[in-house]
Amino acid sequence: MPVVSTEGSVPEIASQVDQVSISQHVRQIFFTERADANSKIGNEYWGRGHKNVGYPMMTAVVESAAAILQLNKREVTLKECQEAVEAVRLANCDDPDDEDGFGAATYHGILRGLDELMEMWVPSAPFSAVEALEGFAPKDSYDPVEWISNISKSIKEASPDFGVALDLYAAGDFESVIKTLYGLESLPEGHVRSIAMMLVNCFYRIDVEQGRVEAESYLEGTDFIMKNFLKLATGAETLENYAAIWGGDSQMMAKGHYLVACHHLIRQEFAQAIVELDKCLSLRVPAIESYLAWCDLIAADPTRAQTPN
């Protein structure tokens, strides 16, 4: 417990504030709320598919963290955090995806936790938001146009040739994506599975039969995770069953939603695909699937490029 002055009617914060401790407490608030969201996403009792109440809960966690990070200050106060979360809560109070109010409850849970910290310390107690919330949301912005661009930028810096394939995918030139990926001299580190899925997806988008052949070829010698991915993309596995295994992992669920969306796009079921693409993006995972999902979303509904969720 930090030492505060008892003189006067308003407590003053001590000169040496344990900022590390405050950051840890704030991080624990968000960790608890995110764990609750993940537990519901992974449990069919709370809803099937995109109707699962865990998704608006996860959105509330990410939107709250992103709003604090977007204050763009080296140090923020507990009061500033509370105000940022309250603002984003009010902006989302009529969220049509939160019919049951679980997302709203998550906002209130975060606000309640911050209230308790302001009682432990004082509202003006400063701490490092980046240290507390790193990994809970993109640091730059919660506007998809900005953070999606940064995903693309980081990939292109690591592998310019792979970046060419991403640009071709965004342009809908799936045949050239295949040629580019097969022409890579070396596979970008950490993207081997993603490249395999891009290949299968592009083959399907060009020719369903050829896509099926490529998927079956990969299934013969691939690992358990890749088998899960391929079955989602081909419709041989349901998202509910997939979530039973991976529901506690936001990155794996982002991949799952993207792959189910691909399955719908292959079948030209655009309304269903858009729902899954939105769910993929709502998890705000800084991974290649988020970038691909954004490309597919604005291709399916060009108006979203101007009015992102």
Side-chain angles (χ1 to χ4, degrees):
M1 178 75 70
V3 178
V4 296
S5 170
T6 58
E7 296 180 6
S9 58
V10 179
E12 297 293 333
I13 193 161
S15 58
Q16 297 296 322
V17 178
D18 189 353
Q19 293 196 31
V20 173
S21 182
I22 297 176
S23 294
Q24 290 173 342
H25 277 78
V26 172
R27 186 172 185 82
Q28 185 60 46
I29 291 169
F30 279 81
F31 181 85
T32 300
E33 295 295 341
R34 185 174 66 178
D36 191 16
N38 273 326
S39 70
K40 289 178 172 57
I41 290 173
N43 188 332
E44 193 174 304
Y45 172 82
W46 295 103
R48 297 174 63 85
H50 69 277
K51 294 293 187 182
N52 189 293
V53 301
Y55 292 111
M57 295 172 67
M58 183 64 72
T59 298
V61 171
V62 174
E63 292 280 1
S64 297
I68 294 171
L69 290 168
Q70 195 167 342
L71 292 172
N72 239 357
K73 298 172 67 174
R74 184 174 173 217
E75 293 179 356
V76 298
T77 68
L78 290 169
K79 183 62 175 176
E80 287 174 324
C81 288
Q82 183 196 52
E83 291 172 347
V85 175
E86 175 63 8
V88 78
R89 181 192 73 80
L90 291 173
N92 290 279
C93 62
D94 295 321
D95 184 357
D97 287 332
D98 191 27
E99 295 178 8
D100 298 312
F102 281 82
T106 299
Y107 283 116
H108 285 295
I110 294 170
L111 289 167
R112 186 165 53 251
L114 292 172
D115 281 338
E116 292 173 357
L117 295 189
M118 285 192 289
E119 291 179 5
M120 289 175 62
W121 282 279
V122 291
S124 59
F127 68 98
S128 168
V130 172
E131 181 181 329
L133 300 176
E134 184 176 16
F136 285 92
K139 296 186 187 67
D140 50 359
S141 171
Y142 58 91
D143 178 350
V145 173
E146 293 187 29
W147 67 268
I148 288 294
S149 296
N150 283 347
I151 293 173
S152 173
K153 180 181 177 182
S154 64
I155 292 174
K156 290 176 180 178
E157 288 175 349
S159 176
D161 291 337
F162 188 28
V164 171
L166 295 183
D167 288 340
L168 291 168
Y169 187 94
D173 188 352
F174 303 123
E175 187 171 348
S176 294
V177 172
I178 293 170
K179 291 178 181 178
T180 301
L181 292 178
Y182 275 129
L184 292 177
E185 293 184 2
S186 60
L187 297 180
E189 185 178 351
H191 294 304
V192 174
R193 290 192 182 109
S194 296
I195 288 175
M197 284 313 314
M198 282 181 71
L199 282 169
V200 171
N201 181 21
C202 288
F203 273 119
Y204 261 109
R205 305 283 276 276
I206 295 169
D207 183 286
V208 173
E209 186 55 40
Q210 182 62 34
R212 185 176 295 111
V213 170
E214 292 296 324
E216 290 175 354
S217 174
Y218 277 111
L219 277 168
E220 289 178 5
T222 192
D223 60 18
F224 172 75
I225 294 177
M226 192 64 188
K227 281 184 169 67
N228 269 244
F229 292 168
L230 287 163
K231 287 179 179 179
L232 279 177
T234 59
E237 178 62 285
T238 66
L239 187 61
E240 288 74 24
N241 289 341
Y242 176 87
I245 301 173
W246 304 111
D249 188 321
S250 298
Q251 185 160 356
M252 292 295 281
M253 287 308 300
K255 293 178 188 291
H257 286 296
Y258 165 70
L259 293 169
V260 172
C262 289
H263 175 65
H264 288 305
L265 289 170
I266 291 164
R267 298 162 63 89
Q268 298 188 343
E269 298 168 347
F270 297 112
Q272 295 94 319
I274 287 172
V275 168
E276 297 302 331
L277 293 169
D278 270 330
K279 292 304 178 184
C280 171
L281 290 166
S282 75
L283 295 175
R284 303 297 165 92
V285 173
I288 184 174
E289 286 76 21
S290 297
Y291 175 80
L292 299 176
W294 180 247
C295 293
D296 283 329
L297 181 61
I298 62 176
D301 182 2
T303 64
R304 300 295 287 279
Q306 288 77 42
T307 56
N309 277 350

